[in-house]
Amino acid sequence: MPTRMMKAIRLHEFGGPEVLRHEEVAVPEPASGEVLVRVRAVGLNPPDWYVREGMPGVPPEFRPPFDLPLIPGTDVSGVVEAVAADVPGFTAGDEVMGMLRFPGLTQSGAYAEYVTAPAADLAPKPAAVDHTHAAALPMSGLTAWQYLIDVGHDHPSPFQEARHRPVALGGDTTVLVNGAGGGVGHLALQLAKWKGAHVIAVASGAHETFLHGLGADEYIDYTEQRPEDVVRDVDLVLDAVGGPRSRRFLPALKRGGALYPVYFGEFDDEENARLGVTVSGTQVRANGAQLAELGRLMEAGTIRVAVDSAFALADARAAHERAARGHIQGKIVLTVP
Ligand SMILES: NC(=O)c1ccc[n+]([C@@H]2O[C@H](COP(=O)([O-])OP(=O)(O)OC[C@H]3O[C@@H](n4cnc5c(N)ncnc54)[C@H](OP(=O)(O)O)[C@@H]3O)[C@@H](O)[C@H]2O)c1
């Protein structure tokens, strides 16, 4: 039988957006436990550019081994095309979304017309939501969910020994979300509001109206004011920027409070103990059941995903160039005709 071919974006070398090549490759075959998805849209996430660059910012011990060429991409929305014999519950034609295999590795990711997907990573696409918005949800939504609501697994994080345990959120909790305009931040803000918390959103000036529209009770433009200088006594800081500067939020916390940096940084356990605060994080993991819960919230209009910009699959390079300019409001998406 002749090999079926598809268009995909591949990397043959690590580097800038110019290494993303639009090529013709074989359609992958679903293995046991998998379905083949006809991709309609792909959500972009920071790991896509970390992979494209060869993960220079990730310590070598955490860097997965890659073989080139590879097709990047984890987040997808599309239509089930074929189902492995051992997969119950899926039928050709089902509309699905998912974050695939993360943090595992694949050579054949979502920047393609077809992708194979572990059935456990998929959730039904909400009927009222188009593929572009559904593809924008998975990694950002699951990260916000696993940080704020429920980790949902027992895998140890590569970045800390203790298991991450989200604090209970309610009407008497104040949550500061740093990086609130971005993929993780804008969904974390909405999940905290769903739980009844008072939310302070921190972002650059262009996002003010957007963030109030998502329910932010207070807003700080970090280009005009340093949030760590003006905020005190919050219960939780979700730092959706993270990294080495995350520690500056410690004085904003009340005793008993918690700081959740989404990207690893350096912390001093003695200082945390002296302040009586917890610093904790996790690494997002694929989880179709949690994604289905997020999908129900989206279907009900409780949360929404904002699309910063959409590009055709063939223009993945331009999409990565957009990401490199920063100040993303919501998500960048590739559409597949
Ligand atoms: N732990 C995990 O498993 C996990 C999972 C997903 C993502 N992440 C990490 O989380 C981070 C965010 O991911 P994302 O997908 O949300 O990225 P993103 O969509 O690019 O959002 C980042 C946001 O941060 C804002 N920002 C940049 N500098 C800032 C500053 N100094 N202060 C406040 N806001 C600032 C940006 O807009 P403005 O500057 O215009 O406000 C942008 O809206 C990345 O480092 C990613 O690697 C970790």
Side-chain angles (χ1 to χ4, degrees):
M1 216 167 65
T3 307
R4 278 174 78 200
M5 301 300 283
M6 66 174 185
K7 294 285 194 212
I9 299 291
R10 288 207 295 182
L11 314 174
H12 292 257
E13 59 187 318
F14 298 120
E18 69 285 353
V19 302
L20 299 168
R21 290 202 219 158
H22 189 232
E23 298 184 327
E24 189 119 316
V25 301
V27 173
E29 293 276 342
S32 163
E34 295 185 342
V35 307
L36 180 68
V37 177
R38 168 87 168 91
V39 179
R40 298 292 309 279
V42 184
L44 271 56
N45 291 285
D48 299 3
W49 23 105
Y50 305 156
V51 167
R52 192 202 70 218
E53 293 164 348
M55 300 202 157
V58 176
E61 63 272 27
F62 298 139
R63 212 177 284 161
F66 297 113
D67 285 331
L68 296 178
L70 68 78
I71 302 172
T74 57
D75 284 11
V76 69
S77 180
V79 183
V80 171
E81 173 95 357
V83 184
D86 62 347
V87 175
F90 288 93
T91 310
D94 289 349
E95 294 192 311
V96 292
M97 59 182 180
M99 177 179 82
L100 309 183
R101 300 183 181 87
F102 199 83
L105 262 188
T106 179
Q107 293 301 118
S108 193
Y111 286 29
E113 289 179 320
Y114 293 90
V115 67
T116 57
D121 296 353
L122 293 173
K125 179 185 83 65
V129 175
D130 63 20
H131 285 289
T132 300
H133 288 80
L137 176 69
M139 183 177 286
S140 294
L142 286 170
T143 303
W145 187 273
Q146 291 174 15
Y147 267 79
L148 293 182
I149 310 295
D150 178 26
V151 177
H153 63 79
D154 285 321
H155 293 269
S157 162
F159 308 119
Q160 70 179 36
E161 273 176 43
R163 190 175 187 275
H164 178 71
R165 291 184 195 285
V167 295
L169 300 177
D172 54 354
T173 37
T174 299
V175 179
L176 182 148
V177 179
N178 186 44
V184 174
H186 86 298
L187 286 158
L189 183 168
Q190 294 176 79
L191 290 181
K193 286 307 301 173
W194 170 55
K195 287 291 176 184
H198 180 89
V199 177
I200 304 168
V202 179
S204 68
H207 305 306
E208 180 170 7
T209 307
F210 168 66
L211 293 170
H212 279 306
L214 295 180
D217 299 288
E218 297 179 48
Y219 163 77
I220 296 173
D221 178 349
Y222 71 81
T223 66
E224 294 190 347
Q225 260 183 328
R226 296 195 311 181
E228 65 272 27
D229 291 344
V230 293
V231 175
R232 288 291 175 273
D233 287 331
V234 302
D235 297 278
L236 174 65
V237 172
L238 180 97
D239 183 3
V241 179
R245 296 190 62 231
S246 201
R247 201 172 153 179
R248 71 200 160 103
F249 285 108
L250 291 176
L253 295 171
K254 62 167 64 155
R255 278 194 90 74
L259 168 58
Y260 295 167
V262 291
Y263 198 79
F264 54 83
E266 299 249 318
F267 290 92
D268 176 352
D269 290 344
E270 282 179 22
E271 182 186 21
N272 299 345
R274 186 168 44 76
L275 294 169
V277 300
T278 305
V279 177
S280 175
T282 186
Q283 185 177 38
V284 68
R285 293 193 82 87
N287 188 320
Q290 289 178 337
L291 187 56
E293 293 199 52
L294 284 159
R296 283 190 284 275
L297 290 177
M298 217 169 152
E299 183 99 283
T302 309
I303 62 169
R304 69 183 175 88
V305 178
V307 172
D308 173 281
S309 43
F311 298 81
L313 176 67
D315 297 329
R317 173 182 176 163
H320 277 224
E321 286 168 348
R322 161 69 196 97
R325 290 194 293 277
H327 302 300
I328 299 169
Q329 189 172 96
K331 300 287 299 178
I332 303 171
V333 180
L334 301 176
T335 56
V336 185

